[in-house]
Amino acid sequence: MLASNICLVFSLLLIGSDALPPNGQLWQLILLSVVAKAFGWLVTQFRLPGLLGMLLAGILLQCVGLVSIEGNYLGLIRIIRKASLVVIMMRAGLDLDPKSVQKLKFSIMTLGWMPWAVEMCCVAAMSWWLFELSWSWAFLLGAVEAAVSPAVVVPNLILLRERGFGVAKGVPTLVLAVTGIEDAISISAFGVISSLILSTSSLVYSIMQGPLSVIVGVIAGCVTGLLFKFTPDKDDPYAISIRIFLLLLSGFLMILGFDFVKLPGAGPLAVIIAAFMAGATFANQGWLVGQNQVALTFGVLWQFFEPIVFGLVGAQIKIVELPLQMVGLAAACVSAPAIVRLITTLILLTGSGFNVKEKVFISMAWMAKATIQAVLGPAVVDMVRDSDDLILHESADIVFNVCVTSILLTAPIGAILIAVTGPKLLSKGTGTSLERRRVVVRRQSSEFTNFIKSDNSVMSSSL
């Protein structure tokens, strides 16, 4: 009791009333994170994705009046969303297998944008028809809605890969690579379209933002990734910590830096390319792809960011102000394009070398929406917050409500489809390769433990 009182007084002196319950903004943010994490764990016990419970926690706390984030903390929330994007994109890039990427490069180049473009156009057409949005707002919604969720896809595909499913033909690598590419394209398209809606800059510059973001993002990602060939030295006793620090630092600099120069799509693309090239370097140095301590650390970091991001999205949903008709139309706007996307993907996989079962699994694996919708949906509302134009506010609310509906509808369905159909539709790798993976992981864990012990001994001697 005494310790808790001391911590409370210390927090009050440092931060002020923001740290005090029940109305302190920092207190509400901490409360939201803890409750969202607990709800996420509870939902996973029913074989559902944890992010669904985190959304429900945010909705519940907002409905009972315990959470209402506003004021200066809105800026902090924007930073948290960008940081979560860095972490999940880094994890996706580190978990790509260079050999499988080389083998499937043509499939990745085709599937990386065509299904996304078809779904974007379908969502735009349906939102123009159902909600009477202008075409610019309709395509903005399409760009956000068409992105696959790495928060759902990455953990589930990594789990299937660790069990050996689809590894022989590179199915996990294909799905992970396309997921990362789509997210980068979605953010780039979002930046271009939003600038066309609100920006006062020239039309030519706004249109050129898209291809310019891709070119600059690829160059920045390649240059950053190449640095990991030279630093740190693989025998450095602090190599793990240095690699984690450099990846985080470079990721933040690229996301925030390209936002500052009005090229928001370049950041995520640069992050995933840099992570992929760094992961390839680590693999050449003997670390198994997706199973080194750097990749595992980013997985742990995501566990901290996930409840905050999805809890905040839930806290922005006002159930009492959400018309039932809106939910029905939003569900239709999400479902029909998803079916069209599935059929398009099946057609594009013709002649790819995958069998029918693998094609069906790959098509279904890209159904889930969550991460980009959770980041960009609220960003649309923030974008028009200071505007007096009621049409802009109504359009932004529609985009946000469709994003939320898509998360609630497709995230659990997508996670269940991957978990249930993966073992049934994908062939399993040989026991020898799985055993080799376990041996390497055990060896790396032992090395990491020795590293911690040596680090502690150095600190003790210096003290």
Side-chain angles (χ1 to χ4, degrees):
M1 185 68 180
L2 178 61
S4 62
N5 287 335
I6 292 174
C7 291
L8 185 61
V9 172
F10 186 68
S11 300
L12 182 61
L13 290 174
L14 284 180
I15 304 172
S17 59
D18 283 354
L20 289 177
N23 297 320
Q25 293 286 284
L26 182 59
W27 162 258
Q28 292 184 9
L29 191 59
I30 295 172
L31 175 67
L32 176 63
S33 303
V34 173
V35 175
K37 188 66 176 178
F39 270 56
W41 174 85
L42 182 63
V43 167
T44 58
Q45 305 309 301
F46 297 94
R47 305 289 183 179
L48 294 172
L51 61 89
L52 184 61
M54 298 169 191
L55 278 170
L56 295 176
I59 295 172
L60 177 63
L61 291 176
Q62 188 273 142
C63 286
V64 299
L66 291 178
V67 170
S68 178
I69 307 298
E70 55 190 17
N72 294 332
Y73 278 81
L74 291 175
L76 174 62
I77 290 170
R78 295 188 190 102
I79 297 297
I80 290 174
R81 290 191 179 118
K82 293 183 185 300
S84 68
L85 193 61
V86 171
V87 172
I88 197 64
M89 296 298 276
M90 279 289 180
R91 189 183 181 193
L94 287 168
D95 282 308
L96 295 179
D97 185 353
K99 293 182 179 178
S100 296
V101 169
Q102 176 65 23
K103 178 182 176 183
L104 299 169
K105 58 180 179 294
F106 295 112
S107 296
I108 292 173
M109 290 172 61
T110 302
L111 296 170
W113 68 275
M114 289 187 70
W116 174 88
V118 169
E119 186 174 8
M120 180 190 70
C121 292
C122 288
V123 172
M126 289 203 66
S127 60
W128 172 81
W129 177 47
L130 295 174
F131 300 111
E132 298 182 352
L133 288 175
S134 65
W135 280 112
S136 56
W137 276 98
F139 274 102
L140 180 70
L141 174 56
V144 175
E145 176 57 29
V148 181
S149 170
V152 177
V153 172
V154 172
N156 284 285
L157 263 294
I158 291 175
L159 181 60
L160 286 175
R161 187 181 63 189
E162 289 174 351
R163 296 165 62 189
F165 291 108
V167 175
K169 289 190 176 181
V171 173
T173 295
L174 174 64
V175 175
L176 290 172
V178 170
T179 299
I181 292 171
E182 279 199 4
D183 292 344
I185 294 174
S186 283
I187 296 171
S188 178
F190 173 83
V192 173
I193 299 171
S194 61
S195 67
L196 288 173
I197 294 173
L198 297 176
S199 178
T200 57
S201 59
S202 68
L203 179 62
V204 174
Y205 175 75
S206 297
I207 294 174
M208 286 300 296
Q209 275 187 312
L212 187 60
S213 295
V214 173
I215 296 170
V216 174
V218 170
I219 294 173
C222 290
V223 171
T224 305
L226 285 173
L227 294 177
F228 287 90
K229 286 189 175 182
F230 309 103
T231 183
D233 186 87
K234 64 178 181 178
D235 298 321
D236 191 314
Y238 300 100
I240 296 174
S241 298
I242 295 173
R243 286 171 173 174
I244 294 170
F245 172 76
L246 289 178
L247 281 170
L248 277 174
L249 178 62
S250 61
F252 278 115
L253 288 176
M254 287 186 289
I255 291 288
L256 297 177
F258 285 123
D259 272 356
F260 180 76
V261 298
K262 308 301 181 184
L263 291 174
L269 184 59
V271 168
I272 195 169
I273 290 175
F276 167 67
M277 296 186 67
T281 298
F282 303 159
N284 291 333
Q285 295 174 354
W287 281 11
L288 195 64
V289 174
Q291 292 296 327
N292 59 67
Q293 295 298 333
V294 177
L296 295 175
T297 299
F298 277 95
V300 173
L301 286 174
W302 176 245
Q303 298 299 314
F304 288 94
F305 281 102
E306 187 180 27
I308 303 176
V309 172
F310 290 103
L312 286 169
V313 173
Q316 286 189 255
I317 304 172
K318 298 179 180 179
I319 298 295
V320 294
E321 299 178 9
L322 194 62
L324 186 60
Q325 183 182 8
M326 165 66 74
V327 176
L329 294 176
C333 190
V334 170
S335 303
I339 295 173
V340 174
R341 179 199 177 101
L342 190 149
I343 297 171
T344 302
T345 305
L346 285 172
I347 295 172
L348 291 173
L349 284 169
T350 303
S352 60
F354 296 107
N355 60 41
V356 175
K357 290 183 178 180
E358 290 165 342
K359 292 176 183 177
V360 171
F361 173 81
I362 292 171
S363 301
M364 293 191 300
W366 290 320
M367 301 292 286
K369 318 291 182 182
T371 315
I372 296 300
Q373 292 73 22
V375 173
L376 296 185
V380 174
V381 179
D382 294 338
M383 189 173 69
V384 301
R385 190 180 300 276
D386 298 328
S387 175
D388 296 327
D389 192 331
L390 294 178
I391 296 178
L392 288 180
H393 284 278
E394 290 175 1
S395 300
D397 288 339
I398 290 172
V399 171
F400 176 75
N401 289 328
V402 173
C403 287
V404 171
T405 303
S406 71
I407 296 172
L408 295 173
L409 184 63
T410 65
I413 294 175
I416 292 171
L417 284 175
I418 294 173
V420 173
T421 65
K424 296 180 179 179
L425 299 179
L426 301 178
S427 58
K428 193 170 185 179
T430 62
T432 303
S433 63
L434 291 176
E435 182 59 30
R436 190 185 306 117
R437 182 186 295 272
R438 295 189 184 100
V439 170
V440 173
V441 172
R442 284 196 294 268
R443 177 174 59 81
Q444 290 171 352
S445 299
S446 177
E447 291 175 353
F448 186 62
T449 302
N450 294 333
F451 156 71
I452 294 297
K453 289 180 179 178
S454 64
D455 188 34
N456 290 336
S457 64
V458 171
M459 291 293 292
S460 300
S461 61
S462 63
L463 293 174

